[in-house]
Amino acid sequence: FQPKIDLDSGRPVACEAIPFVSHARYGEVSAAGYRHAAAQLGAQRAMTATVLREAAALVRSLRAKNLMAKVSVNLAVDVLSEAGDAAALDSYVRTLGIAASDLALEIDAGRQAAGTAHLAENLARLKLRGYALALDGAASALDFGGVAGLHFSELKLDWPAMTRAANGAADRQQVAAAISSARKLGMAVCAVDVRTVADLHLVRQAGIDLGQGEVFADPMPAAETLIWIEREEHNRSFADYSPRQHRAS
């Protein structure tokens, strides 16, 4: 699990469940590699159920300490591609003893599949049931079939990819436009993979709301995540005490 931080208050508002596999011969398989293998095997739904179980266990531990951070789970669009998928997912979550409001569901915009006629309906039903929905992918995915502004409350952007793209003036304008568009749609913006203090400074300058990455914490087992969130809920080590800057608009 990797924490997500509110860049003004320093409060840990969520943590993302990041699946990985440790293979005896090949070592650790990355989250991206794990998701790719699951897609190739048609096992996304089984993988999602496994991650949800782990997420629910952490939610219960957090709530036992009166910590209200959500746990985020990444969903491939294939998991929401059929009629009734939202209801099935919600029913499963309820069996785990947690509420919809305990989770944030991050929809992988980079893998929008063909034949997702039921995607918008499933997203709408999940939102109505109380799930927070985040759009996880490229800024160009803001449209996402025209449903971004209707269903999503957060846009997650890969900060290294954004900064590589922002070398020229036109690219910098494109990055600023993506942040502005998200805000006009009522979405918070989260910079992912923020690695250094210099990155953090630039993220704040860009008017981004939330941050996630190794400058805050590496992915950790659930027990360590619980300790980290409890500590930072008190310490707020990453709070921004500088004069508040104008958010991008």
Side-chain angles (χ1 to χ4, degrees), residues 25-50:
R25 179 176 178 182
Y26 299 108
E28 185 175 311
V29 179
S30 69
Y34 185 34
R35 286 193 289 265
H36 177 73
Q40 293 296 309
L41 294 170
Q44 295 100 322
R45 294 171 191 272
M47 183 185 81
T48 298
T50 299

Side-chain angles (χ1 to χ4, degrees), residues 11-15 59 62-63 67-71 102 229 233:
R11 182 171 178 260
V13 295
C15 55
V59 166
L62 289 166
R63 300 301 178 264
L67 299 169
M68 301 313 294
K70 294 179 183 287
V71 179
D102 291 321
I229 290 177
E233 184 71 32

Side-chain angles (χ1 to χ4, degrees), residues 14 37 39 66 72 82 87 94 108-109 117 135 142 182 193 214:
N66 293 317
S72 302
E82 298 178 8
R94 306 288 174 175
D108 186 353
L135 185 55
L142 268 175
D193 202 11
E214 64 186 61

